[in-house]
Structures are given as C-alpha cells and as structure tokens.
Amino acid sequence: MSTTVWLIPAFPLVGALLNIFLGGIIGRRAHWVAVPALGGSFLASCVLFSRVASGETLTTTLFSWIVAGDFETSVAAYVDPLTAVMLLVVTGVGALIHLYSVGYMHDDPGYARYFAYLNLFVFSMTMLVLAGNFLLLYVFWEAVGLCSYLLIGFWYTRPAAAQAGKKAFIVNRVGDFGFGLGIIWLWSAVGTLDYADVFKAAAELHPGTATGIALLLFMGACGKSAQLPLHTWLPDAMEGPTPVSALIHAATMVTAGVYMVARSRVLFERSPVALEVVAWVGVATALFAATIGLVQTDIKRVLAYSTVSQLGYMFAAVGLGAYAAGIFHLVTHAFFKALLFLGAGSVIHGLGGEQDLRKMGGLSSRMVTTTITTTLGALGLAGLPGLAGFFSKDEILAAAFVTGHRGMWALLLLGAFLTSFYSSRMLFLAFYSGPRMSKEAAHHVHESPGVMTLPLFVLAMLTVVAGVAFGIPSEHGTRFARFLAPVFPVHEGGHGGFAALMVLVMAVLVFAAGVGLAWFMYMASPVRADAIGRPKTAVHALLLNAYYVDALYEGAIVRPLLALSEFLAHVFDLRLIDGFVNALGRSVVACAAGIRRLQTGYTVNYALTMLAGAVAIVAFLLSR
C-alpha cells in the first residue's frame, strides 16, 4: 500500500519534469506525457481508495527531511478516508480536465509549458492532501500557490493576465503569513507538527492558545479559498485559460482551505470561538459573493463569484461541525462546477473567444452537447432535487437548522435562492434566449470536438448520480458520512421529523423561486443586449462593481503602500541612506587629500620630519 501511495504524486511529477526539460522536443505531443501521467495517478488513487474502503489506514514515511536539535520532521503520508476521497477528486477531475485541454489549447504556442504547469500543480495538490505533518502541508500549500500564479498568468503577454497572476500570488501571501505563524505557534505549544501527535496533544492546549492557532490557520484558509476579506483575487484569476479555472479555481486548490480546517478539526473544536468565526465568515462570503454573481455579464466571472459563494457554504458546514456535509459539498461542487467551467470553455471555443453573455444566446440548437451538459451542471449548482448539489447543500442547511443556528440557516437559504437565480440567468442568456451575437459570429458557432465533450459527459453523469448514490440522508447519516466516520463521527438521528421535512421543502421552494424569477426576467419577454449589465439603480451599480472592494483596497492599501515605497526608494534611500554613505565617503576622501600633502616626495623633508620626531622624543624623555 505504501508504494501505491507514493505513485500517486510520482506520475504527475515525472510528467511535469519531462515536459519542462524536453518540451522543446516533445512539442505538440506534450499531452501524450501529461494525460497518461494523470491517468496513472487516478488509477493509483482508485487502488488506494479500495484499500481504505476495506478498513485500512496508513502513515508511511518516504525519508527523514529535517533534523535540527529537538525538531525532526519527515516526508510522510497520512492516509485515511478523507485523504482517499480528496485524492479521487483531485486526480479524477484533474485527468478529465487534462483531456479537455488537448482540444481547448491545441493551437497555443506554449502547449508543452501548459501541460508541464498543469502536471506540476496536480503533483503539488496530491502532496498537500497526502502530507502527514503541518510543515509538509505548508510547503505544498505554497507550491500550489506558485502553480496557480504560473497558470493564471500563463498568457503573460496579456497585461490583464500578468496582473491577475501577481494579484493572486500577493493576496495569498497575506493569508499564508498568518498560516505560517499558526504553524510556528503550534510547534512551540505542542513540540511537534506530526498530525497524529498534534491531534493527541490538542486536548491539553489552553483554549486561548487553541483559539489563536486556529484563527491563524484559518487566515491561510481565507486566502487560499477566497473567503472574505481575501476573496478579490479569484474573480480576476479568470484571465487564465478556462481549463485552469475548472481545475484550480473550482475543483482543487480553492478547496484546500476547507480540507485543512476539516483535517485540523480537533484543534478547531478546542476553540468554539474559532469554529463560530469559521461558520460566520463562510455564511457572509456565501451571501456576499452570490449577490455579486446576480449581475455579472462575463460568463466566467459569474462562475467565479459562484465558486466563492459555494466555498462559503463549505466553510459554514465545517464551522458548524458538519464536516462530512462540508466535504460532500466539496466533492459535488468539484463535479458540477468543473462541468460548468468546461461548458463555458466550450461556449467560448465555439464563439471564437467570446465571453460576454450579452453577445450570446440561441446556442441550444447549435451546441446541443454543450447545452445539455452545462444545463445539468447549472441545475446541480442551483439545487434541482435529485442532482448532487441538492443533496450536499441540503445537508448544510439541515446542519445549520438542527444545531440551532437559525440566523445562519435563513441567510444560507437566501444564498440558495440567489444561486438558483444566477445559475438560471446564465443558462437563459447563453443558451435559451434569442441570439444577440453578430451575424458573422453566429455563422461560425460550432460544437466542440469529442476530446472536449467527453469530459463534459462524464462530469454530467457524476452530477446526476453522486447525490443519489452517496447523499441520501438517513437516521444513521448519509452513505458518504458513514464512509468518513473514522475521521468525522456521524451525528445520528438528525434527519427525521417535521424539522427535516420543513428544511427540505424550503430548499425545493427557493430553487423553484429562483428559476421562476430568472425565467420571468430574461425569457418571458425578449431582453435587449444593451439593457443587460447596465446599472439601473445604485444597488445595481454597487453589485456590478463588486461592492467597490477592489477600489477600496486600491485606495486604502495599494496606493498608500506604493506611495510609501516610492518615498522610501527615492527620498529615504537615495537622499538619507545614500546621502549618509556618500558623505562618509567624501569625508574620507577629504581627509586623505589633507594627509596626502605631507607626502611631498622630497627626501630632505622626510629627514627633517624624522629629526623633529627624534628631538620630540628626547625632549619627552628628559622632561620625565
């Protein structure tokens, strides 16, 4: 089993190295290295999953890494049901997105570099999931951030893409600073960073210490998973290739924060305050991002804000102690959101690069496969009863209600209504309303090739069956929760009675209300393209500009820091620091010039000086 564990990251690592060092030779055949590498990693993950499902767990060490005094850490893997589930998501969805990329990126001049970055990202993500201690987790936490920077800025000749890559990297560093401090504090408090030892020692932590550590760790999660107030990088990250958005910003990297909090639940449970903060930040983010998604006109930005919102649901779940529900929503979200991003990519591909919803419409008859699969993804996101998103979101709503957090439940229910609305709005504007593109653009609309539509079919099937197969609630929890029972204890008896029925009915009603309102606004009568996205009220303008948070950060943080940096560079550094050093140098030169006058080069002067010195010494001795 230990060999299988290390094969999972080894396959994509080898693929990345081959395309990095031999990319010039491999060229357009780079996918023959990258896609099989992910296929091998996925098969190894399936083997590992089957072993874990039979009851095996494992902690295996590859080699000793750092030994310094009392501190010792290794490159070690920690394998349990949570690890197995995450590995299947990362490698399975990753393999489909690699396959899709063969069609989407086929004409790109950086083809081999793209697949090298993609393989490197999957290697880093699998190592993050497998990490058996917090230091290894931190290393690959930073590695996925680096890969995200490389992939967002893949088209680095575009100023917007280069700027988005820098923004993602810098904003993540803010959260990672707190994450690093939390790990340092954790080691100083318990003397180890190995998961097993930390979780055993957590019961002895002072609640105040546990709160401080947990909140610092959560600060890192807010950056990586785009939670308030560190959410601003993710919408801009849509400047990267669409398959990158599907892999990194829907299915894998952005869920790392949720995984970390769930993995560290023993630490967070030691601090009820920290868990409450996690839950409320999740709720606030879910509602905040959903309101912005209502009015966006770029199809990828609608999905970006949707991702931020759904990540808020996951954090709300883990903050409420419904860890299995949060991870189940993570899994189902990976399916339907990756499907939506790939569907959006298929639309963009079919329209020759167009992303504006105002220039779409009428695609249902011309892109049938994309329409059907994307519709299933959008309905899964919206919460159509029977699809995966309905079951996972209902679990979170039920957890908020039965734990007595009725305010959270009401806000999350409102968020579900908004989700249903903007999902339906996107579908209607892109596929089912009348065409709004130019005649020339309409003439060139075409369905994507099979290498792109096959992943859409697979993800659509997963969206349809995952909820029914693993998410049907019972008195003993869902099938998914029972599988994760060795990691997260199942809360039995929470799915029956009038309260559960009421929560279920309300979820169905808000879904229907959201779809109905979107139909009334965008399908009941034709909508002019110039009327979409035009601010009609102050609230509409506020949402279109994402509450002006970017402008606020620009004015309150970026510009003052830039002005301070310019002052330090041009005034403090050049005039004060350099001025002092230069003045010191000039004084040495002046002193040397004065002393140089004594060096006349005449022997008689030197002899006279020696005589005067001798006389002075004799006079001094006689005076004594």
Side-chain angles (χ1 to χ4, degrees), residues 144-417:
V144 295
L146 172 63
C147 294
S148 176
Y149 163 75
L150 294 173
L151 286 164
I152 293 168
F154 177 76
W155 289 318
Y156 56 85
T157 55
R158 299 181 184 179
Q163 188 67 24
K166 289 189 293 183
K167 184 176 183 179
F169 193 79
I170 293 169
V171 172
N172 271 271
R173 297 292 74 71
V174 174
D176 293 350
F177 175 73
F179 190 60
L181 288 179
I183 291 174
I184 293 170
W185 193 353
L186 179 64
W187 178 77
S188 66
V190 301
T192 182
L193 292 177
D194 290 340
Y195 286 161
D197 296 332
V198 167
F199 299 153
K200 287 179 184 176
E204 306 299 324
L205 281 176
H206 186 275
T209 301
T211 298
I213 293 171
L215 291 179
L216 285 171
L217 294 179
F218 181 59
M219 182 176 170
C222 284
K224 196 68 70 188
S225 297
Q227 297 295 284
L228 289 173
L230 301 178
H231 66 287
T232 55
W233 67 270
L234 196 146
D236 288 1
M238 298 302 107
E239 292 294 336
T242 301
V244 170
S245 302
L247 179 63
I248 296 182
H249 307 123
T252 53
M253 189 194 85
V254 292
T255 61
V258 180
Y259 166 78
M260 185 274 295
V261 174
R263 171 64 74 198
S264 309
R265 73 173 184 88
V266 177
L267 285 172
F268 281 84
E269 286 177 349
R270 184 65 179 159
S271 169
V273 172
L275 278 179
E276 198 76 7
V277 169
V278 171
W280 276 110
V281 168
V283 171
T285 304
L287 197 58
F288 175 87
T291 58
I292 299 173
L294 298 175
V295 298
Q296 297 302 305
T297 56
D298 185 309
I299 189 170
K300 287 180 67 177
R301 290 184 81 86
V302 174
L303 298 177
Y305 281 109
S306 170
T307 298
V308 176
S309 179
Q310 297 308 303
L311 287 165
Y313 275 88
M314 299 174 207
F315 277 109
V318 296
L320 291 167
Y323 303 103
I327 298 299
F328 187 46
H329 195 53
L330 182 157
V331 173
T332 62
H333 179 265
F335 297 154
F336 59 69
K337 188 55 66 64
L339 172 58
L340 283 169
F341 269 114
L342 297 186
S346 183
V347 169
I348 295 166
H349 184 270
L351 292 175
E354 184 59 67
Q355 297 183 196
D356 195 335
L357 287 166
R358 293 171 293 188
K359 299 178 182 179
M360 296 182 186
L363 300 179
S364 58
S365 60
R366 300 178 179 226
M367 303 182 70
V368 177
T369 301
T370 298
T371 300
I372 294 172
T373 54
T374 306
T375 299
L376 286 172
L379 293 176
L381 169 63
L384 175 68
L387 298 186
F390 170 77
F391 289 100
S392 58
K393 201 176 294 184
D394 181 65
E395 282 287 301
I396 297 172
L397 291 170
F401 191 86
V402 300
T403 55
H405 293 82
R406 303 298 165 82
M408 286 188 188
W409 171 77
L411 293 175
L412 290 173
L413 195 66
L414 175 59
F417 165 74

